Amino acid sequence: RAMQGVIACAIAHNVGLILMLSWLPTYFASTYGLDVTNAAAVSAPPWICSFVVANLSGVVADGLVERGFEAGAVRRGFQLVGSVGPSLCLLKIALGQKTAEEATFWFAAALGLAGCSLVGFNAAPQDMARRYAPVVYGTFNAIGNLAGSLAVWLAGFALQANPTTGFQQIFFVAVLIYWLGAAAFLGSYRGEREFA
């Protein structure tokens, strides 16, 4: 049951992450009329934010576990931030931003908060299966990436069908998927050994 929650969370995380990775420059170009160079420039800060927050999250999570907090509770807490945080930022973006700078701020917040997932569901295999942790990780990572890739493909159809509000629809769907993944993970993951 915990594995199903981890897989659902991996799907949700990768849908949001890969959509942003793939469509961020296009979003800035089509929404704010930026050329490719400027669209790429405003697309970079969110990824820097993700790197910084992910590393800080790891340090904080390790400190909490060393102080005696249960690993499962630490992972659930960070995953709550790593799922709900980006979803709220994408919701804010879907509701519209006046400037590219505002949108950059919210994307940076979304990707930064998503970095908390690295000590959430992404670290779950070491709790679930010491010996088979790589197999567990590879399984949910492959499924999550397939879902993320499918989301990029479907987003292209949504944008073709509705160029004016396509991104808004895509972000609303990503918000819903983030919440479903968080609910599945938080409802099933306890940080207990599932496999050898």
Side-chain angles (χ1 to χ4, degrees), residues 34-108:
L34 300 178
D35 61 26
V36 173
T37 303
N38 289 327
V42 295
S43 297
W47 297 102
I48 294 167
C49 191
S50 177
F51 171 80
V52 170
V53 173
N55 282 286
L56 290 174
S57 295
V59 171
V60 172
D62 286 347
L64 290 171
V65 171
E66 286 173 8
R67 287 184 183 86
F69 287 88
E70 178 189 284
V74 171
R75 301 217 192 291
R76 285 191 307 274
F78 274 94
Q79 191 55 57
L80 181 65
V81 174
S83 292
V84 174
S87 74
L88 294 176
C89 294
L90 287 177
L91 182 60
K92 177 74 173 149
I93 294 165
L95 295 174
Q97 302 305 302
K98 291 184 171 71
T99 66
E101 291 76 19
E102 275 184 74
T104 299
F105 171 81
W106 289 109
F107 278 118

Side-chain angles (χ1 to χ4, degrees), residues 111-150:
L111 286 166
L113 293 167
C116 292
S117 292
L118 294 179
V119 294
F121 84 92
N122 266 302
Q126 66 186 2
D127 301 330
M128 295 172 69
R130 294 272 184 215
R131 185 172 171 195
Y132 295 109
V135 175
V136 172
Y137 183 82
T139 300
F140 75 70
N141 192 41
I143 294 168
N145 278 293
L146 285 171
S149 298
L150 179 62

